[in-house]
Amino acid sequence: MNYEIMKQSERELQTEFIKYCNHVYETWEFVYKAIKNKKTNQAMLSEVYRMEDISNHFEAQIQDDCIWSISKNEPLANHLRYIIAILNSIKDLERMADYAVSAARFFVNNQVSDNIRNLIVDILKGALLGMNKTNKSLEVKPAIDTYKTCQSAHLSFKNYYNKMLEKFSYILKKSSIQEIEKFFQGAAIVMKHIERLMDHVANISENFVFIKQADLFFNKQSKQVMKK
């Protein structure tokens, strides 16, 4: 198989994949602005559903492109690993888009207090920052550089998220039983979804490093086993 044909196939897949990454980011950015500006209404929810539907089309199209590339190009090991990285990563992106729908529904269906709204806005702002840094790195930098960028962003976000959890706990202590029953479980789920955004982004960055540096993760797993 012609090497240049396979590289062209990779470039085409990368272009579509980056578009998908940016679309998921834009979906969450839309949700962020709606929550921040208190414009969480049915029109907003309908738009999030529309964007989530586009996400599903992205996933299906990229999956088909990957299958077509395998059948057409009979890829060698590195190209096949690249396709596997894409396939694994679009699952993360699709899940991230699902979380956006869940968050939008919560705010549309509940009268959320300003303190909880502002807390979630702050957490989401931190996640969007990490997502944006990683997406931009994916476009122009080698996989290992993107991995390092994402690791740094992920750690910063986790530390920030833990501080926000302390604030959430403080608000919880000052709330009535009725408020806790009505709002706080849903708010906690939204916060968890936002936390998971950066976990999925980290998965994506690892998928592409694995193509040429699988030993990085074998060593990582060995260290985790030793700690246990």
Side-chain angles (χ1 to χ4, degrees), residues 30 40-50 101 104-105 108-109:
F30 175 78
T40 47
N41 49 37
Q42 285 298 327
M44 169 264 190
L45 183 58
S46 295
E47 178 63 12
V48 175
Y49 277 127
R50 186 190 71 82
V101 173
R105 274 202 304 254
V108 169
N109 295 331

Side-chain angles (χ1 to χ4, degrees), residues 115-144:
N115 52 3
I116 291 297
R117 180 184 296 272
N118 293 337
L119 182 68
I120 290 175
V121 165
D122 286 344
I123 295 172
L124 183 48
K125 182 179 180 180
L128 284 170
L129 181 63
M131 289 169 64
N132 192 38
K133 283 182 179 178
T134 305
N135 283 1
K136 287 185 175 179
S137 184
L138 272 172
E139 291 186 40
V140 296
K141 293 184 179 180
I144 191 62

Side-chain angles (χ1 to χ4, degrees), residues 43-141:
M44 169 264 190
L45 183 58
S46 295
E47 178 63 12
V48 175
Y49 277 127
R50 186 190 71 82
M51 297 177 86
E52 198 263 345
D53 189 52
I54 293 173
S55 167
N56 292 337
H57 283 293
F58 263 119
E59 183 191 22
Q61 184 60 57
I62 292 172
Q63 192 173 52
D64 284 349
D65 289 345
C66 287
I67 293 170
W68 173 246
S69 181
I70 292 171
S71 63
K72 179 180 69 174
N73 296 331
E74 299 179 358
L76 300 176
N78 276 353
H79 184 57
L80 185 58
R81 289 192 191 102
Y82 185 83
I83 291 173
I84 291 170
I86 292 284
L87 288 171
N88 286 335
S89 296
I90 61 176
K91 293 178 183 177
D92 287 290
L93 290 171
E94 191 275 334
R95 198 76 189 103
M96 292 162 72
D98 287 345
Y99 292 154
V101 173
S102 177
R105 274 202 304 254
F106 171 72
F107 277 92
V108 169
N109 295 331
N110 295 280
Q111 292 293 324
V112 183
S113 62
D114 284 345
N115 52 3
I116 291 297
R117 180 184 296 272
N118 293 337
L119 182 68
I120 290 175
V121 165
D122 286 344
I123 295 172
L124 183 48
K125 182 179 180 180
L128 284 170
L129 181 63
M131 289 169 64
N132 192 38
K133 283 182 179 178
T134 305
N135 283 1
K136 287 185 175 179
S137 184
L138 272 172
E139 291 186 40
V140 296
K141 293 184 179 180

Side-chain angles (χ1 to χ4, degrees), residues 7-37:
K7 294 307 292 182
Q8 178 62 29
S9 175
E10 281 188 14
R11 287 191 289 270
E12 290 171 356
L13 277 174
Q14 182 184 25
T15 297
E16 288 306 302
F17 179 74
I18 292 298
K19 287 180 182 178
Y20 192 8
C21 289
N22 289 334
H23 174 73
V24 172
Y25 173 82
E26 288 163 6
T27 301
W28 269 104
E29 186 179 41
F30 175 78
V31 171
Y32 166 77
K33 290 178 179 178
I35 296 171
K36 182 180 179 182
N37 297 323

